[in-house]
Amino acid sequence: MRRTLTVAAAAAALLVSAGPLPVAEAGGAAAVAAGRWGVHEAESFWTPERMASARPLPPGPPEPAAAPQAPAAPQPPVWPLRMPPMPTPATPAPVATPSPSPTPTVTTTQPASTPTPAPAPTPTPVTLPAPGPAPAPPVRPALPRIPAAGPGVGQDFGGLPVVGRMFLVKGGGSYFCTASVVVSPGRNLVISAAHCLLGSDTQQVAFVPQYTRAKPRPFGMFPVVRTAAGRSRIWIDQRYRTQGVNRAAALDVAFAQVGPGPKGRRVQDVVGGNRLVTGAGYAHARATLIGHPSTAARPRLCVNRTTKYTSTDARIPGSFLRIACTGYPGGTSGGPFLLRLDGRTGTGDVVGVIGGWKTGGDKPEVSYSSYFGTDIRKLYEKAVAGAKAP
């Protein structure tokens, strides 16, 4: 399996319980108090060496042990299955790049139902009210050159400030996924795949924008916030926790609240954010896929069209976005599907994250995303309500 996958049983609440702190990888690390997890603790724990040695989460049980639909007789494993042949991608039509929005609004379309084989709805743009005056745009260094390649050809590049690695400890090991900043009123939310952050033993979670091995913390580190009770502020649909990563594959999305960085600034004020778009359909002529492969020292970028894939496996129901892009192995889970990527701001419209069908796919040449419809919109709204800045 090429995607990350948690190994713990599903938790009962939307917030992930911190619980006892696990011991990090061999070699140890400074102890972290259960109720204290700020930027100084995060940067002390996630040293450049530990970040470089982190790896994608190992394969684990695809369903909770007590899943009610599990048959008594042994079944063939799900993960080694290969998807049907992918049609040869057509050359995408150029898409005009719009000017970035001056206020932290989130664009949505008429809500769509939870992914099913039914046709996608005709989108009707609706813009949420702006939460208030936007601060001055963050001052950032020049963006790295975005590589030009043919459709579906992934290439390593210097990364974008809005996309980075999400580091975490689980079962005594150091791991990572990909995550990105999403525009929100509190200017403090990131989006990733639910299977990356699922489990009560998920600890020491921190987001590092534009991570590369050569420059591991170019914008500092943003720890996932804990409550006074030691619970990490991570929002995952409850059905994903109870039904498991296969039966609820259409809900493989998570939002997390991150605290201020080393200079006390909120992450969106530092690196910007992508606008969340829901109900936009499955077929897009030009989408940009960004992820952090386990095999590379830098992130990877690919541009191609997306198509609709409807699962024929009753154990993994739903319809998903699909994109053919080379070189997306473990570690890229949670990486954003972006439309209308602006080369000046390095931000766009996020319509998916690598995950969903077989937690993103079973081979590195084709990636999937849960469809962003009504359920994802509601989950985002819960995260916004719970992550309001003080």
Side-chain angles (χ1 to χ4, degrees), residues 150-176:
V153 179
Q155 293 191 88
D156 294 345
F157 78 124
L160 297 176
V162 77
V163 183
R165 282 192 180 188
M166 183 76 94
F167 291 96
L168 58 108
V169 167
K170 178 178 287 293
S174 299
Y175 302 101
F176 73 91

Short mmCIF file of all heavy atoms in Angstrom, two decimals, residues 150-176:
data_model
loop_
_atom_site.label_atom_id
_atom_site.label_comp_id
_atom_site.label_asym_id
_atom_site.label_seq_id
_atom_site.Cartn_x
_atom_site.Cartn_y
_atom_site.Cartn_z
N GLY A 150 4.67 17.74 -19.23
CA GLY A 150 3.47 17.27 -19.88
C GLY A 150 2.42 16.83 -18.87
O GLY A 150 2.72 16.61 -17.69
N PRO A 151 1.18 16.69 -19.30
CA PRO A 151 0.10 16.25 -18.40
C PRO A 151 0.43 14.93 -17.74
O PRO A 151 0.86 13.98 -18.39
CB PRO A 151 -1.10 16.12 -19.34
CG PRO A 151 -0.79 17.01 -20.49
CD PRO A 151 0.69 16.94 -20.67
N GLY A 152 0.27 14.87 -16.43
CA GLY A 152 0.47 13.63 -15.70
C GLY A 152 1.89 13.34 -15.30
O GLY A 152 2.15 12.29 -14.69
N VAL A 153 2.83 14.21 -15.60
CA VAL A 153 4.24 13.97 -15.26
C VAL A 153 4.57 14.72 -13.97
O VAL A 153 4.58 15.95 -13.93
CB VAL A 153 5.18 14.44 -16.39
CG1 VAL A 153 6.64 14.20 -16.00
CG2 VAL A 153 4.84 13.71 -17.68
N GLY A 154 4.84 13.98 -12.92
CA GLY A 154 5.18 14.60 -11.64
C GLY A 154 6.64 14.99 -11.60
O GLY A 154 7.50 14.26 -12.11
N GLN A 155 6.92 16.14 -11.00
CA GLN A 155 8.30 16.62 -10.87
C GLN A 155 8.52 17.20 -9.49
O GLN A 155 7.65 17.88 -8.95
CB GLN A 155 8.58 17.71 -11.92
CG GLN A 155 8.57 17.23 -13.36
CD GLN A 155 9.11 18.29 -14.29
OE1 GLN A 155 10.31 18.36 -14.54
NE2 GLN A 155 8.23 19.13 -14.80
N ASP A 156 9.69 16.96 -8.94
CA ASP A 156 10.06 17.57 -7.68
C ASP A 156 10.33 19.06 -7.90
O ASP A 156 10.86 19.45 -8.94
CB ASP A 156 11.30 16.91 -7.09
CG ASP A 156 11.05 15.46 -6.70
OD1 ASP A 156 9.87 15.07 -6.60
OD2 ASP A 156 12.02 14.72 -6.49
N PHE A 157 9.96 19.88 -6.91
CA PHE A 157 10.22 21.32 -7.02
C PHE A 157 10.38 21.89 -5.62
O PHE A 157 10.33 21.17 -4.63
CB PHE A 157 9.10 22.01 -7.80
CG PHE A 157 7.82 22.25 -7.04
CD1 PHE A 157 7.29 23.53 -6.95
CD2 PHE A 157 7.12 21.22 -6.42
CE1 PHE A 157 6.11 23.77 -6.26
CE2 PHE A 157 5.94 21.46 -5.74
CZ PHE A 157 5.43 22.74 -5.66
N GLY A 158 10.59 23.21 -5.54
CA GLY A 158 10.89 23.83 -4.26
C GLY A 158 9.72 23.99 -3.32
O GLY A 158 9.89 24.36 -2.17
N GLY A 159 8.51 23.69 -3.80
CA GLY A 159 7.33 23.73 -2.94
C GLY A 159 6.63 25.07 -2.95
O GLY A 159 7.10 26.06 -3.52
N LEU A 160 5.47 25.11 -2.29
CA LEU A 160 4.69 26.32 -2.11
C LEU A 160 4.52 26.57 -0.61
O LEU A 160 4.33 25.62 0.16
CB LEU A 160 3.31 26.19 -2.75
CG LEU A 160 3.27 25.99 -4.27
CD1 LEU A 160 1.83 25.78 -4.72
CD2 LEU A 160 3.88 27.18 -4.99
N PRO A 161 4.56 27.81 -0.16
CA PRO A 161 4.41 28.07 1.28
C PRO A 161 3.12 27.54 1.87
O PRO A 161 3.08 27.16 3.05
CB PRO A 161 4.45 29.61 1.36
CG PRO A 161 5.24 30.02 0.15
CD PRO A 161 4.87 29.04 -0.93
N VAL A 162 2.06 27.47 1.08
CA VAL A 162 0.75 27.07 1.61
C VAL A 162 0.63 25.56 1.82
O VAL A 162 -0.30 25.10 2.48
CB VAL A 162 -0.36 27.59 0.67
CG1 VAL A 162 -0.47 26.74 -0.58
CG2 VAL A 162 -1.68 27.71 1.37
N VAL A 163 1.56 24.78 1.28
CA VAL A 163 1.53 23.31 1.40
C VAL A 163 2.76 22.86 2.18
O VAL A 163 3.84 23.43 2.02
CB VAL A 163 1.52 22.63 0.02
CG1 VAL A 163 1.43 21.11 0.16
CG2 VAL A 163 0.39 23.17 -0.84
N GLY A 164 2.59 21.84 3.03
CA GLY A 164 3.73 21.37 3.80
C GLY A 164 3.51 19.97 4.34
O GLY A 164 2.60 19.26 3.92
N ARG A 165 4.36 19.61 5.27
CA ARG A 165 4.25 18.31 5.92
C ARG A 165 3.55 18.44 7.26
O ARG A 165 3.74 19.42 7.98
CB ARG A 165 5.63 17.69 6.15
CG ARG A 165 6.26 17.06 4.92
CD ARG A 165 7.48 16.24 5.32
NE ARG A 165 8.12 15.59 4.18
CZ ARG A 165 9.10 14.70 4.27
NH1 ARG A 165 9.56 14.35 5.49
NH2 ARG A 165 9.64 14.16 3.20
N MET A 166 2.75 17.43 7.58
CA MET A 166 2.11 17.32 8.90
C MET A 166 2.82 16.19 9.62
O MET A 166 2.71 15.02 9.24
CB MET A 166 0.63 17.02 8.76
CG MET A 166 -0.11 16.97 10.09
SD MET A 166 -0.40 18.60 10.78
CE MET A 166 -2.06 18.91 10.15
N PHE A 167 3.58 16.53 10.66
CA PHE A 167 4.34 15.54 11.42
C PHE A 167 3.53 15.09 12.63
O PHE A 167 2.78 15.87 13.23
CB PHE A 167 5.67 16.12 11.87
CG PHE A 167 6.64 16.36 10.75
CD1 PHE A 167 6.75 17.61 10.16
CD2 PHE A 167 7.44 15.33 10.27
CE1 PHE A 167 7.63 17.83 9.12
CE2 PHE A 167 8.32 15.55 9.23
CZ PHE A 167 8.42 16.81 8.65
N LEU A 168 3.72 13.82 13.02
CA LEU A 168 3.00 13.28 14.17
C LEU A 168 3.73 12.06 14.72
O LEU A 168 4.55 11.46 14.03
CB LEU A 168 1.58 12.88 13.76
CG LEU A 168 1.46 11.86 12.63
CD1 LEU A 168 1.00 10.52 13.16
CD2 LEU A 168 0.51 12.36 11.55
N VAL A 169 3.41 11.75 15.97
CA VAL A 169 3.94 10.55 16.62
C VAL A 169 2.79 9.58 16.82
O VAL A 169 1.69 9.97 17.21
CB VAL A 169 4.58 10.90 17.99
CG1 VAL A 169 4.84 9.65 18.81
CG2 VAL A 169 5.88 11.66 17.77
N LYS A 170 3.05 8.34 16.51
CA LYS A 170 2.05 7.29 16.70
C LYS A 170 2.77 5.99 17.06
O LYS A 170 3.70 5.58 16.36
CB LYS A 170 1.22 7.09 15.43
CG LYS A 170 0.19 5.97 15.55
CD LYS A 170 -0.64 5.85 14.29
CE LYS A 170 -1.61 6.97 14.18
NZ LYS A 170 -2.64 6.89 15.24
N GLY A 171 2.33 5.37 18.15
CA GLY A 171 2.91 4.09 18.54
C GLY A 171 4.40 4.12 18.75
O GLY A 171 5.09 3.13 18.53
N GLY A 172 4.97 5.26 19.14
CA GLY A 172 6.40 5.36 19.38
C GLY A 172 7.21 5.73 18.16
O GLY A 172 8.42 5.88 18.25
N GLY A 173 6.58 5.88 16.98
CA GLY A 173 7.30 6.22 15.76
C GLY A 173 6.99 7.63 15.28
O GLY A 173 5.96 8.20 15.63
N SER A 174 7.89 8.18 14.49
CA SER A 174 7.72 9.52 13.93
C SER A 174 7.28 9.40 12.47
O SER A 174 7.94 8.72 11.67
CB SER A 174 9.04 10.30 14.00
OG SER A 174 9.45 10.45 15.34
N TYR A 175 6.18 10.08 12.12
CA TYR A 175 5.57 9.92 10.79
C TYR A 175 5.17 11.27 10.22
O TYR A 175 5.21 12.30 10.91
CB TYR A 175 4.34 9.02 10.89
CG TYR A 175 4.63 7.65 11.45
CD1 TYR A 175 4.34 7.34 12.79
CD2 TYR A 175 5.22 6.66 10.66
CE1 TYR A 175 4.61 6.08 13.31
CE2 TYR A 175 5.50 5.40 11.18
CZ TYR A 175 5.20 5.12 12.50
OH TYR A 175 5.48 3.88 13.02
N PHE A 176 4.78 11.25 8.95
CA PHE A 176 4.29 12.48 8.33
C PHE A 176 3.28 12.17 7.23
O PHE A 176 3.24 11.08 6.67
CB PHE A 176 5.44 13.31 7.74
CG PHE A 176 6.03 12.74 6.47
CD1 PHE A 176 5.54 13.11 5.23
CD2 PHE A 176 7.08 11.83 6.51
CE1 PHE A 176 6.07 12.59 4.05
CE2 PHE A 176 7.62 11.30 5.35
CZ PHE A 176 7.12 11.68 4.11
#
